[in-house]
Amino acid sequence: ISYPFYLWHWPVFYFARIIVERNLFVRERVLLILLSIVLAYITYRLLENPIRLAKRESSRRAVTVLATLAACTFLFSLLALRGDMNPRQSSASISKILAAAYDWEYPDGLKGKILAGNLRRAYAYNGNSSVETLFVGDSNMEQYYPRITKLISEYPDQYNSALFVGNQRQRCAPMYRMFLTDSDSCDSVRKDILDLANAKNVAVIVLVYSGEAYHQLLMDGVGNERLSEFLRRGVQNGKSVYLILNMPDGDELDPKNMFMGSRLGVLRPKEPKLATLDYAQFMARYGQDRIELADLAARNGAHTIDPIPYLCPNNQCPAFDSEGAPLYKDSNHMRASYVRENATYIDVTLRLNTHN
């Protein structure tokens, strides 16, 4: 069944990647390999073997049908490759929306990866300064990578180098649990991050989580105390510590929800005025948490940065730019191209000699 397996595994992996919109975890890849084997076996038993063992006349008819289908597939593929056959749902405005869902730049390989205890995903981006800013958090931290690397690459003498510790794959997931529990390797993750934070070259520590993650920490007595201790210890060790509050999140911001119509009919983008975040609902959900987080940071000597005045001027949180392109990758992350030019509130955490 090696050849049917070869034919099946590619579309299985390809469409799985499209569905989940991220790189696949190891156990997911193992399951997809098993699925490909099952499909290959079914193909072998129900298609390949009957054709191979059939009588000559029946075999010829089957081969003729398969050859015709293969020729048609080749013809359609050639026309699509030449641009003579466009998708039914194809327009510049739709393409802009679809592109936003894949606009993400946080590293996921070996480039820039550093050894830091048992952390699976720790990265560095260096300028000319030996002074470093350590960014810690979940994917809400990871989304700021394009802005941080832009500043360092364009002005290597004016900004700190950067260290990043984001999600650790299957270890201590989701990442905020490092403050809640010692199980699932969370104690090891927390210790390794503290070791990084205490390093001599690290002058600034920045903590960034989603609104839901912050809520879980505030509601849990252990989580609340450990978060406070993390901030307090950094300050006591002579570091400048920043806590970045949560940014807007909501289904209204997700590019998947920016269409009107149906796949079976005609899809068209929503008008920008119909795709804005319900600011009142957002503040009703997170307003009290944000007040408590700012108070917690202040009590422990940390600085607070609030993205909302930058992303929601006059209490309006736009989802599109002036050219009709989405500003967000999904319901709770900005797209990389938007972050790179607009998340200017993060800049202060990287400026040399401005921390106190």
Side-chain angles (χ1 to χ4, degrees):
I1 63 171
S2 60
Y3 188 64
F5 172 77
Y6 168 77
L7 294 177
W8 273 113
H9 90 281
W10 187 86
V12 166
F13 273 77
Y14 183 82
F15 285 106
R17 175 66 179 82
I18 291 176
I19 291 171
V20 301
E21 298 181 356
R22 57 170 169 75
N23 291 326
L24 300 170
F25 297 137
V26 173
R27 66 182 180 184
E28 293 171 334
R29 296 178 186 181
V30 171
L31 290 174
L32 292 177
I33 288 173
L34 294 176
L35 175 61
S36 299
I37 292 173
V38 171
L39 292 172
Y41 180 75
I42 293 173
T43 302
Y44 172 76
R45 289 297 303 270
L46 300 183
L47 184 61
E48 181 179 339
N49 217 29
I51 292 175
R52 187 165 56 84
L53 300 178
K55 294 180 180 180
R56 180 173 298 179
E57 188 63 29
S58 298
S59 180
R60 284 178 178 174
R61 285 198 299 269
V63 170
T64 300
V65 171
L66 291 175
T68 302
L69 290 174
C72 291
T73 302
F74 174 78
L75 178 60
F76 285 129
S77 301
L78 182 61
L79 291 173
L81 184 64
R82 285 165 45 91
D84 296 328
M85 179 181 292
N86 293 319
R88 181 171 59 87
Q89 306 284 5
S90 177
S91 73
S93 55
I94 289 179
S95 296
K96 285 182 181 179
I97 295 176
L98 295 178
Y102 299 95
D103 194 359
W104 185 258
E105 292 186 5
Y106 191 76
D108 194 29
L110 296 177
K111 185 177 180 181
K113 192 170 185 177
I114 61 173
L115 294 176
N118 294 313
L119 294 175
R120 293 180 179 175
R121 299 176 78 219
Y123 296 94
Y125 195 92
N126 296 319
N128 293 338
S129 173
S130 61
V131 180
E132 295 171 326
T133 296
L134 171 63
F135 293 90
V136 178
D138 56 15
S139 55
N140 273 247
M141 180 280 291
E142 296 175 357
Q143 72 183 329
Y144 291 114
Y145 184 85
R147 178 66 187 179
I148 295 164
T149 55
K150 169 187 167 68
L151 293 176
I152 296 173
S153 62
E154 293 184 358
Y155 309 100
D157 296 315
Q158 298 180 32
Y159 291 96
N160 297 345
S161 296
L163 300 175
F164 304 88
V165 181
N167 289 312
Q168 297 298 301
R169 295 293 190 191
Q170 298 301 308
R171 297 183 76 228
C172 196
M175 186 65 172
Y176 69 85
R177 291 181 62 240
M178 76 176 206
F179 293 114
L180 295 180
T181 179
D182 291 336
S183 62
D184 195 23
S185 301
C186 288
D187 56 338
S188 175
V189 169
R190 187 171 62 252
K191 176 184 178 301
D192 290 337
I193 290 175
L194 285 171
D195 288 344
L196 268 181
N198 291 333
K200 180 180 179 181
N201 286 352
V202 172
V204 186
I205 304 169
V206 184
L207 200 65
V208 192
Y209 283 104
S210 68
E212 181 59 30
Y214 280 135
H215 179 75
Q216 295 297 328
L217 293 176
L218 289 172
M219 294 299 102
D220 186 280
V222 173
N224 193 312
E225 177 52 39
R226 284 181 171 173
L227 174 60
S228 298
E229 182 184 0
F230 182 87
L231 300 176
R232 184 167 59 249
R233 182 181 296 186
V235 173
Q236 290 172 348
N237 289 336
K239 320 290 185 179
S240 293
V241 181
Y242 290 85
L243 188 147
I244 299 183
L245 300 181
N246 58 308
M247 49 161 282
D249 69 66
D251 290 338
E252 307 97 314
L253 303 176
D254 193 337
K256 291 180 180 178
N257 299 322
M258 293 181 178
F259 295 103
M260 301 175 65
S262 166
R263 288 180 179 271
L264 300 178
V266 177
L267 286 176
R268 61 186 186 279
K270 288 182 178 179
E271 297 179 26
K273 64 182 181 180
L274 300 178
T276 58
L277 181 73
D278 187 330
Y279 182 83
Q281 185 179 38
F282 170 78
M283 293 307 295
R285 182 180 180 187
Y286 293 118
Q288 185 59 38
D289 287 349
R290 292 162 60 79
I291 293 172
E292 292 182 19
L293 282 168
D295 179 64
L296 182 148
R299 282 189 282 109
N300 292 284
H303 307 278
T304 301
I305 296 177
D306 187 359
I308 295 300
Y310 298 84
L311 304 178
C312 302
N314 301 316
N315 298 342
Q316 299 294 319
C317 307
F320 288 98
D321 66 14
S322 59
E323 297 180 356
L327 303 179
Y328 292 80
K329 173 187 180 295
D330 52 35
S331 62
N332 56 354
H333 299 96
M334 293 176 286
R335 61 186 301 182
S337 55
Y338 180 57
V339 170
R340 186 181 299 109
E341 303 301 329
N342 295 278
T344 54
Y345 49 87
I346 200 85
D347 299 4
V348 67
T349 66
L350 288 159
R351 290 196 182 105
L352 285 168
N353 304 319
T354 60
H355 311 289
N356 50 60

